Amino acid sequence: MAVGAHDADRAPPRWLVLAAVVAIGLNLRPFLTAVGPLAATIRAGTGLDYEGMAWLTLLPMLLMGLGAFAAPAIRQRLGARRAVLGALAMLGAGSALRALATDGALLVATAAVCGLGVAVVQAACPGLIKQEFPRRVAPVMGLYSAALMGGGALGAQIAPVIADLSGSWQEGLAWWALPVMAALGLAWRALPGPAGPAPATHATHRPARQLLRRRRTWMLMVCFGVMNGGYASLVAWLAPFYQQHGWSVARSGSLVAVMAIAQAAAALLLPTLAAARQDRRAWMAAALAMQAAGFAGLALWSEWSPYAWAAIGGAGLGGCFALYLVVALDHLPDPESAGALSALMQGGGFLLASLAPWITAALHSRTGDFMAGWWYHLGCVAFVAALTLRLNPARYAVSMTGAPSMAR
């Protein structure tokens, strides 16, 4: 008891922990969003074609998916504090190494290092937030998500400026190592150690094995993955698309920033608006309609109002992302099982989403334009919308506790 009292006396103030959570979130997307605005310069410097460039988004998102599956083991073996600190160091090192990237293979390798670091952080942060803010999990998770998406906006906006000032696209990518190291220092000061002994391994993994026998689990994975594929493609190809239309690097980067800001705002706002009723389908339909409008605008009227299409599509993606996280938790009353379902949805979803930038690049290689990619994602929105209609709360219990056969 004396040790616990001593640790409590030395516990950092809540505002400092919250500041660390925000700082961590801000650093998890710039390494992805900085690439798109600099794509033309990177291609010229490395010789990567569009499909090769797609690996700079595909590989990190693939690792994010694997990281979500590995979340229980990471929390048990390392604890949230050590996992986050080590992963931030890895993200900082991967970012710094981009200053030395002179060819495509090395640049893709740095993307893998950064992606692995982000995967571990994303696996550990939700458990840490629940540990430190047990009565405010939803708003703190919302703030963390908004910081994550806002960091994406900063990466897209600032990287072209740094590249222009330094005359080097490598420095435009590598500069983010500095704020990552600042976040690491803050996290070292603010993040507490484990609150108690880690749960038994079999207790952590049993719900996942059971959930994988339910059709609803696989449906949520598919919806989450196909929907997030739209985000992955926009991060990778929105700026290059408008650069093909004569836009400058800085101006096209601002489009990605606008998309990310709208995404963050919707991720905070739509779950709040949807909180009055457990049936979230009306708000999910609104988010999907915004996605459809954004992709249709890019495909049909790309020159008419680019910032509007970026903002509308980004808001739809951010709102749908947050609402699907809420809906996954709605399916099960038990926090352990609900958390396992959310982790499975994100793990399978990110694995599926990682393919989208490559698919869009392959369509570009065959057509010479990104239009086919925007039409592909418009079709994906329609597919997810059809499946979302099945998310009736009255059927949640049956979908998760019925006959275990996937043929049900």
Side-chain angles (χ1 to χ4, degrees):
M1 297 292 292
V3 173
H6 179 66
D7 288 345
D9 290 340
R10 297 181 59 186
R14 297 296 85 192
W15 68 265
L16 190 61
V17 179
L18 194 63
V21 167
V22 172
I24 290 168
L26 284 170
N27 283 278
L28 300 185
R29 288 294 181 269
F31 83 98
L32 282 177
T33 59
V35 170
L38 297 174
T41 309
I42 293 171
R43 289 182 64 220
T46 62
L48 287 171
D49 59 13
Y50 281 107
E51 292 179 29
M53 289 288 297
W55 279 94
L56 298 176
T57 305
L58 185 159
L59 189 56
M61 294 199 74
L62 188 67
L63 290 169
M64 289 179 203
L66 295 174
F69 283 122
I74 291 170
R75 286 197 300 267
Q76 183 180 1
R77 290 177 181 272
L78 297 179
R81 173 185 166 85
R82 284 192 295 172
V84 170
L85 293 177
L88 285 174
M90 186 179 298
L91 176 58
S95 298
L97 285 172
R98 291 182 152 186
L100 306 176
T102 55
D103 59 56
L106 183 55
L107 186 59
V108 171
T110 65
V113 174
C114 292
L116 187 58
V118 170
V120 174
V121 174
Q122 290 185 159
C125 265
L128 188 147
I129 289 171
K130 186 171 184 179
Q131 172 187 307
E132 295 304 306
F133 302 95
R135 297 181 181 179
R136 293 180 172 84
V137 172
V140 176
M141 280 296 294
L143 185 62
Y144 164 75
S145 298
L148 188 150
M149 298 168 190
L154 290 175
Q157 192 67 51
I158 297 176
V161 176
I162 300 295
D164 185 57
L165 291 175
S166 65
S168 166
W169 62 264
Q170 288 96 333
E171 292 188 27
L173 298 179
W175 73 276
W176 199 260
L178 297 177
V180 171
M181 290 298 103
L184 175 60
L186 181 58
W188 183 278
R189 170 68 181 85
L191 298 185
T201 303
H202 73 276
T204 301
H205 290 289
R206 186 175 62 247
R209 290 198 300 268
Q210 295 173 348
L211 290 169
L212 284 172
R213 301 169 69 188
R214 309 296 184 199
R215 280 183 23 171
R216 178 54 57 88
T217 302
W218 293 90
M219 190 189 96
L220 290 171
M221 283 186 193
V222 169
C223 288
F224 191 79
V226 172
M227 179 267 299
N228 274 292
Y231 168 76
S233 283
L234 286 176
V235 163
W237 305 125
L238 181 61
F241 173 62
Y242 277 98
Q243 287 172 17
Q244 285 189 339
H245 287 70
W247 286 42
S248 68
V249 169
R251 190 182 177 202
S252 63
S254 68
L255 276 178
V256 181
V258 166
M259 181 197 74
I261 292 169
Q263 190 182 21
L268 282 173
L269 180 61
L270 262 65
T272 302
L273 295 174
R277 298 177 58 192
Q278 192 180 20
D279 191 342
R280 328 280 187 186
R281 285 178 294 179
W283 292 106
M284 297 174 85
L288 288 164
M290 285 190 285
Q291 288 183 48
F295 283 117
L298 291 173
L300 295 172
W301 308 287
S302 57
E303 295 291 344
W304 180 62
S305 188
Y307 287 99
W309 306 136
I312 293 169
L317 289 162
C320 210
F321 177 90
L323 287 169
Y324 256 97
L325 291 178
V326 172
V327 164
L329 296 176
D330 286 344
H331 271 72
L332 292 162
D334 170 43
E336 181 185 3
S337 298
L341 178 61
S342 177
L344 288 171
M345 180 186 74
Q346 292 181 69
F350 278 123
L351 291 176
L352 188 58
S354 69
L355 299 175
W358 184 88
I359 292 171
T360 303
L363 290 170
H364 181 280
S365 296
R366 286 155 179 77
T367 65
D369 201 280
F370 289 106
M371 294 293 189
W374 306 144
W375 284 112
Y376 162 74
H377 283 295
L378 189 59
C380 289
V381 172
F383 173 73
V384 173
L387 291 178
T388 299
L389 293 175
R390 302 177 62 183
L391 296 176
N392 183 353
R395 301 287 298 171
Y396 285 171
V398 172
S399 68
M400 301 312 300
T401 62
S405 172
M406 285 182 59
R408 176 178 172 80

PDB file of all heavy atoms in Angstrom, residues 362-389:
ATOM      1  N   ALA A 362      -2.728   1.659 -59.763  1.00  0.00           N
ATOM      2  CA  ALA A 362      -2.816   0.730 -60.896  1.00  0.00           C
ATOM      3  C   ALA A 362      -3.820   1.232 -61.930  1.00  0.00           C
ATOM      4  O   ALA A 362      -3.583   1.130 -63.146  1.00  0.00           O
ATOM      5  CB  ALA A 362      -3.213  -0.655 -60.387  1.00  0.00           C
ATOM      6  N   LEU A 363      -4.940   1.778 -61.458  1.00  0.00           N
ATOM      7  CA  LEU A 363      -5.922   2.345 -62.381  1.00  0.00           C
ATOM      8  C   LEU A 363      -5.327   3.541 -63.127  1.00  0.00           C
ATOM      9  O   LEU A 363      -5.592   3.733 -64.326  1.00  0.00           O
ATOM     10  CB  LEU A 363      -7.181   2.755 -61.620  1.00  0.00           C
ATOM     11  CG  LEU A 363      -8.035   1.605 -61.077  1.00  0.00           C
ATOM     12  CD1 LEU A 363      -9.122   2.139 -60.146  1.00  0.00           C
ATOM     13  CD2 LEU A 363      -8.672   0.823 -62.225  1.00  0.00           C
ATOM     14  N   HIS A 364      -4.517   4.332 -62.426  1.00  0.00           N
ATOM     15  CA  HIS A 364      -3.849   5.460 -63.079  1.00  0.00           C
ATOM     16  C   HIS A 364      -2.904   4.978 -64.168  1.00  0.00           C
ATOM     17  O   HIS A 364      -2.830   5.559 -65.268  1.00  0.00           O
ATOM     18  CB  HIS A 364      -3.096   6.284 -62.036  1.00  0.00           C
ATOM     19  CG  HIS A 364      -2.389   7.473 -62.599  1.00  0.00           C
ATOM     20  ND1 HIS A 364      -1.168   7.387 -63.245  1.00  0.00           N
ATOM     21  CD2 HIS A 364      -2.732   8.794 -62.621  1.00  0.00           C
ATOM     22  CE1 HIS A 364      -0.789   8.586 -63.638  1.00  0.00           C
ATOM     23  NE2 HIS A 364      -1.714   9.460 -63.278  1.00  0.00           N
ATOM     24  N   SER A 365      -2.162   3.900 -63.868  1.00  0.00           N
ATOM     25  CA  SER A 365      -1.207   3.374 -64.853  1.00  0.00           C
ATOM     26  C   SER A 365      -1.907   2.912 -66.128  1.00  0.00           C
ATOM     27  O   SER A 365      -1.337   3.003 -67.218  1.00  0.00           O
ATOM     28  CB  SER A 365      -0.423   2.213 -64.242  1.00  0.00           C
ATOM     29  OG  SER A 365       0.366   2.656 -63.156  1.00  0.00           O
ATOM     30  N   ARG A 366      -3.132   2.440 -65.978  1.00  0.00           N
ATOM     31  CA  ARG A 366      -3.858   1.912 -67.130  1.00  0.00           C
ATOM     32  C   ARG A 366      -4.654   2.978 -67.884  1.00  0.00           C
ATOM     33  O   ARG A 366      -4.954   2.807 -69.061  1.00  0.00           O
ATOM     34  CB  ARG A 366      -4.776   0.773 -66.688  1.00  0.00           C
ATOM     35  CG  ARG A 366      -3.997  -0.497 -66.379  1.00  0.00           C
ATOM     36  CD  ARG A 366      -4.721  -1.409 -65.409  1.00  0.00           C
ATOM     37  NE  ARG A 366      -3.942  -2.636 -65.165  1.00  0.00           N
ATOM     38  CZ  ARG A 366      -2.878  -2.697 -64.368  1.00  0.00           C
ATOM     39  NH1 ARG A 366      -2.442  -1.604 -63.764  1.00  0.00           N
ATOM     40  NH2 ARG A 366      -2.231  -3.838 -64.182  1.00  0.00           N
ATOM     41  N   THR A 367      -5.025   4.056 -67.187  1.00  0.00           N
ATOM     42  CA  THR A 367      -5.856   5.085 -67.824  1.00  0.00           C
ATOM     43  C   THR A 367      -5.136   6.408 -68.029  1.00  0.00           C
ATOM     44  O   THR A 367      -5.601   7.256 -68.790  1.00  0.00           O
ATOM     45  CB  THR A 367      -7.115   5.346 -66.977  1.00  0.00           C
ATOM     46  OG1 THR A 367      -6.733   5.900 -65.702  1.00  0.00           O
ATOM     47  CG2 THR A 367      -7.902   4.056 -66.752  1.00  0.00           C
ATOM     48  N   GLY A 368      -4.016   6.605 -67.317  1.00  0.00           N
ATOM     49  CA  GLY A 368      -3.290   7.860 -67.428  1.00  0.00           C
ATOM     50  C   GLY A 368      -3.857   8.977 -66.594  1.00  0.00           C
ATOM     51  O   GLY A 368      -3.396  10.121 -66.690  1.00  0.00           O
ATOM     52  N   ASP A 369      -4.845   8.692 -65.725  1.00  0.00           N
ATOM     53  CA  ASP A 369      -5.477   9.726 -64.911  1.00  0.00           C
ATOM     54  C   ASP A 369      -6.014   9.092 -63.635  1.00  0.00           C
ATOM     55  O   ASP A 369      -6.189   7.875 -63.560  1.00  0.00           O
ATOM     56  CB  ASP A 369      -6.612  10.405 -65.675  1.00  0.00           C
ATOM     57  CG  ASP A 369      -6.952  11.775 -65.094  1.00  0.00           C
ATOM     58  OD1 ASP A 369      -7.660  11.806 -64.074  1.00  0.00           O
ATOM     59  OD2 ASP A 369      -6.505  12.790 -65.644  1.00  0.00           O
ATOM     60  N   PHE A 370      -6.292   9.953 -62.647  1.00  0.00           N
ATOM     61  CA  PHE A 370      -6.845   9.465 -61.385  1.00  0.00           C
ATOM     62  C   PHE A 370      -8.369   9.366 -61.393  1.00  0.00           C
ATOM     63  O   PHE A 370      -8.964   8.938 -60.408  1.00  0.00           O
ATOM     64  CB  PHE A 370      -6.408  10.368 -60.225  1.00  0.00           C
ATOM     65  CG  PHE A 370      -4.950  10.234 -59.870  1.00  0.00           C
ATOM     66  CD1 PHE A 370      -4.043  11.222 -60.206  1.00  0.00           C
ATOM     67  CD2 PHE A 370      -4.497   9.105 -59.196  1.00  0.00           C
ATOM     68  CE1 PHE A 370      -2.706  11.092 -59.877  1.00  0.00           C
ATOM     69  CE2 PHE A 370      -3.156   8.969 -58.868  1.00  0.00           C
ATOM     70  CZ  PHE A 370      -2.261   9.965 -59.206  1.00  0.00           C
ATOM     71  N   MET A 371      -9.012   9.785 -62.467  1.00  0.00           N
ATOM     72  CA  MET A 371     -10.476   9.772 -62.514  1.00  0.00           C
ATOM     73  C   MET A 371     -11.038   8.376 -62.218  1.00  0.00           C
ATOM     74  O   MET A 371     -12.019   8.226 -61.484  1.00  0.00           O
ATOM     75  CB  MET A 371     -10.974  10.243 -63.885  1.00  0.00           C
ATOM     76  CG  MET A 371     -10.665  11.690 -64.188  1.00  0.00           C
ATOM     77  SD  MET A 371     -11.569  12.826 -63.114  1.00  0.00           S
ATOM     78  CE  MET A 371     -11.182  14.379 -63.926  1.00  0.00           C
ATOM     79  N   ALA A 372     -10.423   7.338 -62.800  1.00  0.00           N
ATOM     80  CA  ALA A 372     -10.920   5.980 -62.577  1.00  0.00           C
ATOM     81  C   ALA A 372     -10.847   5.616 -61.103  1.00  0.00           C
ATOM     82  O   ALA A 372     -11.724   4.905 -60.583  1.00  0.00           O
ATOM     83  CB  ALA A 372     -10.114   4.984 -63.409  1.00  0.00           C
ATOM     84  N   GLY A 373      -9.823   6.108 -60.415  1.00  0.00           N
ATOM     85  CA  GLY A 373      -9.714   5.856 -58.977  1.00  0.00           C
ATOM     86  C   GLY A 373     -10.831   6.505 -58.187  1.00  0.00           C
ATOM     87  O   GLY A 373     -11.374   5.916 -57.243  1.00  0.00           O
ATOM     88  N   TRP A 374     -11.213   7.737 -58.563  1.00  0.00           N
ATOM     89  CA  TRP A 374     -12.310   8.404 -57.844  1.00  0.00           C
ATOM     90  C   TRP A 374     -13.628   7.667 -58.090  1.00  0.00           C
ATOM     91  O   TRP A 374     -14.448   7.526 -57.181  1.00  0.00           O
ATOM     92  CB  TRP A 374     -12.429   9.859 -58.284  1.00  0.00           C
ATOM     93  CG  TRP A 374     -11.173  10.682 -58.190  1.00  0.00           C
ATOM     94  CD1 TRP A 374     -10.779  11.663 -59.053  1.00  0.00           C
ATOM     95  CD2 TRP A 374     -10.135  10.614 -57.195  1.00  0.00           C
ATOM     96  NE1 TRP A 374      -9.585  12.206 -58.674  1.00  0.00           N
ATOM     97  CE2 TRP A 374      -9.158  11.588 -57.531  1.00  0.00           C
ATOM     98  CE3 TRP A 374      -9.922   9.824 -56.069  1.00  0.00           C
ATOM     99  CZ2 TRP A 374      -7.999  11.793 -56.774  1.00  0.00           C
ATOM    100  CZ3 TRP A 374      -8.759  10.017 -55.302  1.00  0.00           C
ATOM    101  CH2 TRP A 374      -7.822  10.996 -55.666  1.00  0.00           C
ATOM    102  N   TRP A 375     -13.843   7.184 -59.312  1.00  0.00           N
ATOM    103  CA  TRP A 375     -15.049   6.394 -59.587  1.00  0.00           C
ATOM    104  C   TRP A 375     -15.040   5.089 -58.800  1.00  0.00           C
ATOM    105  O   TRP A 375     -16.088   4.641 -58.302  1.00  0.00           O
ATOM    106  CB  TRP A 375     -15.168   6.093 -61.084  1.00  0.00           C
ATOM    107  CG  TRP A 375     -15.634   7.274 -61.891  1.00  0.00           C
ATOM    108  CD1 TRP A 375     -14.922   7.986 -62.797  1.00  0.00           C
ATOM    109  CD2 TRP A 375     -16.934   7.889 -61.853  1.00  0.00           C
ATOM    110  NE1 TRP A 375     -15.680   9.006 -63.332  1.00  0.00           N
ATOM    111  CE2 TRP A 375     -16.926   8.964 -62.766  1.00  0.00           C
ATOM    112  CE3 TRP A 375     -18.095   7.643 -61.125  1.00  0.00           C
ATOM    113  CZ2 TRP A 375     -18.027   9.775 -62.985  1.00  0.00           C
ATOM    114  CZ3 TRP A 375     -19.206   8.457 -61.333  1.00  0.00           C
ATOM    115  CH2 TRP A 375     -19.157   9.500 -62.255  1.00  0.00           C
ATOM    116  N   TYR A 376     -13.870   4.479 -58.680  1.00  0.00           N
ATOM    117  CA  TYR A 376     -13.754   3.254 -57.885  1.00  0.00           C
ATOM    118  C   TYR A 376     -14.180   3.516 -56.440  1.00  0.00           C
ATOM    119  O   TYR A 376     -14.947   2.736 -55.852  1.00  0.00           O
ATOM    120  CB  TYR A 376     -12.309   2.747 -57.944  1.00  0.00           C
ATOM    121  CG  TYR A 376     -11.952   1.769 -56.850  1.00  0.00           C
ATOM    122  CD1 TYR A 376     -12.429   0.466 -56.875  1.00  0.00           C
ATOM    123  CD2 TYR A 376     -11.131   2.168 -55.787  1.00  0.00           C
ATOM    124  CE1 TYR A 376     -12.104  -0.431 -55.872  1.00  0.00           C
ATOM    125  CE2 TYR A 376     -10.805   1.284 -54.783  1.00  0.00           C
ATOM    126  CZ  TYR A 376     -11.294  -0.020 -54.818  1.00  0.00           C
ATOM    127  OH  TYR A 376     -10.972  -0.891 -53.808  1.00  0.00           O
ATOM    128  N   HIS A 377     -13.718   4.614 -55.876  1.00  0.00           N
ATOM    129  CA  HIS A 377     -14.069   4.905 -54.478  1.00  0.00           C
ATOM    130  C   HIS A 377     -15.530   5.321 -54.338  1.00  0.00           C
ATOM    131  O   HIS A 377     -16.145   5.073 -53.285  1.00  0.00           O
ATOM    132  CB  HIS A 377     -13.124   5.967 -53.906  1.00  0.00           C
ATOM    133  CG  HIS A 377     -11.786   5.398 -53.544  1.00  0.00           C
ATOM    134  ND1 HIS A 377     -11.627   4.463 -52.546  1.00  0.00           N
ATOM    135  CD2 HIS A 377     -10.549   5.613 -54.067  1.00  0.00           C
ATOM    136  CE1 HIS A 377     -10.345   4.135 -52.444  1.00  0.00           C
ATOM    137  NE2 HIS A 377      -9.675   4.816 -53.359  1.00  0.00           N
ATOM    138  N   LEU A 378     -16.083   5.922 -55.356  1.00  0.00           N
ATOM    139  CA  LEU A 378     -17.517   6.220 -55.313  1.00  0.00           C
ATOM    140  C   LEU A 378     -18.307   4.911 -55.248  1.00  0.00           C
ATOM    141  O   LEU A 378     -19.292   4.798 -54.502  1.00  0.00           O
ATOM    142  CB  LEU A 378     -17.909   7.036 -56.546  1.00  0.00           C
ATOM    143  CG  LEU A 378     -19.321   7.629 -56.569  1.00  0.00           C
ATOM    144  CD1 LEU A 378     -19.563   8.554 -55.384  1.00  0.00           C
ATOM    145  CD2 LEU A 378     -19.547   8.376 -57.876  1.00  0.00           C
ATOM    146  N   GLY A 379     -17.886   3.919 -56.011  1.00  0.00           N
ATOM    147  CA  GLY A 379     -18.520   2.611 -55.920  1.00  0.00           C
ATOM    148  C   GLY A 379     -18.338   1.977 -54.550  1.00  0.00           C
ATOM    149  O   GLY A 379     -19.260   1.316 -54.029  1.00  0.00           O
ATOM    150  N   CYS A 380     -17.167   2.180 -53.948  1.00  0.00           N
ATOM    151  CA  CYS A 380     -16.931   1.660 -52.598  1.00  0.00           C
ATOM    152  C   CYS A 380     -17.883   2.284 -51.589  1.00  0.00           C
ATOM    153  O   CYS A 380     -18.376   1.607 -50.669  1.00  0.00           O
ATOM    154  CB  CYS A 380     -15.488   1.933 -52.186  1.00  0.00           C
ATOM    155  SG  CYS A 380     -14.252   0.929 -53.048  1.00  0.00           S
ATOM    156  N   VAL A 381     -18.153   3.576 -51.728  1.00  0.00           N
ATOM    157  CA  VAL A 381     -19.096   4.246 -50.825  1.00  0.00           C
ATOM    158  C   VAL A 381     -20.473   3.604 -50.931  1.00  0.00           C
ATOM    159  O   VAL A 381     -21.137   3.339 -49.917  1.00  0.00           O
ATOM    160  CB  VAL A 381     -19.168   5.758 -51.129  1.00  0.00           C
ATOM    161  CG1 VAL A 381     -20.292   6.414 -50.333  1.00  0.00           C
ATOM    162  CG2 VAL A 381     -17.839   6.436 -50.804  1.00  0.00           C
ATOM    163  N   ALA A 382     -20.916   3.340 -52.160  1.00  0.00           N
ATOM    164  CA  ALA A 382     -22.226   2.704 -52.349  1.00  0.00           C
ATOM    165  C   ALA A 382     -22.257   1.320 -51.707  1.00  0.00           C
ATOM    166  O   ALA A 382     -23.257   0.923 -51.081  1.00  0.00           O
ATOM    167  CB  ALA A 382     -22.544   2.608 -53.836  1.00  0.00           C
ATOM    168  N   PHE A 383     -21.169   0.581 -51.829  1.00  0.00           N
ATOM    169  CA  PHE A 383     -21.078  -0.751 -51.229  1.00  0.00           C
ATOM    170  C   PHE A 383     -21.185  -0.674 -49.702  1.00  0.00           C
ATOM    171  O   PHE A 383     -21.944  -1.424 -49.074  1.00  0.00           O
ATOM    172  CB  PHE A 383     -19.765  -1.395 -51.648  1.00  0.00           C
ATOM    173  CG  PHE A 383     -19.460  -2.704 -50.979  1.00  0.00           C
ATOM    174  CD1 PHE A 383     -20.150  -3.854 -51.322  1.00  0.00           C
ATOM    175  CD2 PHE A 383     -18.475  -2.777 -50.004  1.00  0.00           C
ATOM    176  CE1 PHE A 383     -19.866  -5.066 -50.705  1.00  0.00           C
ATOM    177  CE2 PHE A 383     -18.185  -3.982 -49.381  1.00  0.00           C
ATOM    178  CZ  PHE A 383     -18.882  -5.125 -49.733  1.00  0.00           C
ATOM    179  N   VAL A 384     -20.429   0.233 -49.088  1.00  0.00           N
ATOM    180  CA  VAL A 384     -20.475   0.379 -47.626  1.00  0.00           C
ATOM    181  C   VAL A 384     -21.847   0.859 -47.177  1.00  0.00           C
ATOM    182  O   VAL A 384     -22.373   0.419 -46.142  1.00  0.00           O
ATOM    183  CB  VAL A 384     -19.362   1.343 -47.155  1.00  0.00           C
ATOM    184  CG1 VAL A 384     -19.496   1.633 -45.660  1.00  0.00           C
ATOM    185  CG2 VAL A 384     -17.990   0.755 -47.449  1.00  0.00           C
ATOM    186  N   ALA A 385     -22.467   1.763 -47.945  1.00  0.00           N
ATOM    187  CA  ALA A 385     -23.797   2.262 -47.582  1.00  0.00           C
ATOM    188  C   ALA A 385     -24.812   1.122 -47.534  1.00  0.00           C
ATOM    189  O   ALA A 385     -25.657   1.059 -46.635  1.00  0.00           O
ATOM    190  CB  ALA A 385     -24.241   3.330 -48.572  1.00  0.00           C
ATOM    191  N   ALA A 386     -24.736   0.201 -48.497  1.00  0.00           N
ATOM    192  CA  ALA A 386     -25.667  -0.927 -48.520  1.00  0.00           C
ATOM    193  C   ALA A 386     -25.496  -1.802 -47.283  1.00  0.00           C
ATOM    194  O   ALA A 386     -26.484  -2.256 -46.678  1.00  0.00           O
ATOM    195  CB  ALA A 386     -25.472  -1.745 -49.787  1.00  0.00           C
ATOM    196  N   LEU A 387     -24.256  -2.029 -46.868  1.00  0.00           N
ATOM    197  CA  LEU A 387     -24.015  -2.842 -45.677  1.00  0.00           C
ATOM    198  C   LEU A 387     -24.377  -2.096 -44.392  1.00  0.00           C
ATOM    199  O   LEU A 387     -24.843  -2.705 -43.418  1.00  0.00           O
ATOM    200  CB  LEU A 387     -22.551  -3.275 -45.626  1.00  0.00           C
ATOM    201  CG  LEU A 387     -22.099  -4.283 -46.687  1.00  0.00           C
ATOM    202  CD1 LEU A 387     -20.616  -4.591 -46.538  1.00  0.00           C
ATOM    203  CD2 LEU A 387     -22.914  -5.565 -46.595  1.00  0.00           C
ATOM    204  N   THR A 388     -24.198  -0.774 -44.383  1.00  0.00           N
ATOM    205  CA  THR A 388     -24.502   0.018 -43.193  1.00  0.00           C
ATOM    206  C   THR A 388     -25.985  -0.043 -42.850  1.00  0.00           C
ATOM    207  O   THR A 388     -26.368   0.056 -41.674  1.00  0.00           O
ATOM    208  CB  THR A 388     -24.047   1.473 -43.403  1.00  0.00           C
ATOM    209  OG1 THR A 388     -22.630   1.492 -43.625  1.00  0.00           O
ATOM    210  CG2 THR A 388     -24.369   2.345 -42.197  1.00  0.00           C
ATOM    211  N   LEU A 389     -26.845  -0.209 -43.851  1.00  0.00           N
ATOM    212  CA  LEU A 389     -28.282  -0.330 -43.589  1.00  0.00           C
ATOM    213  C   LEU A 389     -28.602  -1.504 -42.672  1.00  0.00           C
ATOM    214  O   LEU A 389     -29.650  -1.513 -42.008  1.00  0.00           O
ATOM    215  CB  LEU A 389     -29.043  -0.488 -44.911  1.00  0.00           C
ATOM    216  CG  LEU A 389     -29.039   0.723 -45.847  1.00  0.00           C
ATOM    217  CD1 LEU A 389     -29.721   0.358 -47.167  1.00  0.00           C
ATOM    218  CD2 LEU A 389     -29.738   1.908 -45.189  1.00  0.00           C
TER     219      LEU A 389
END
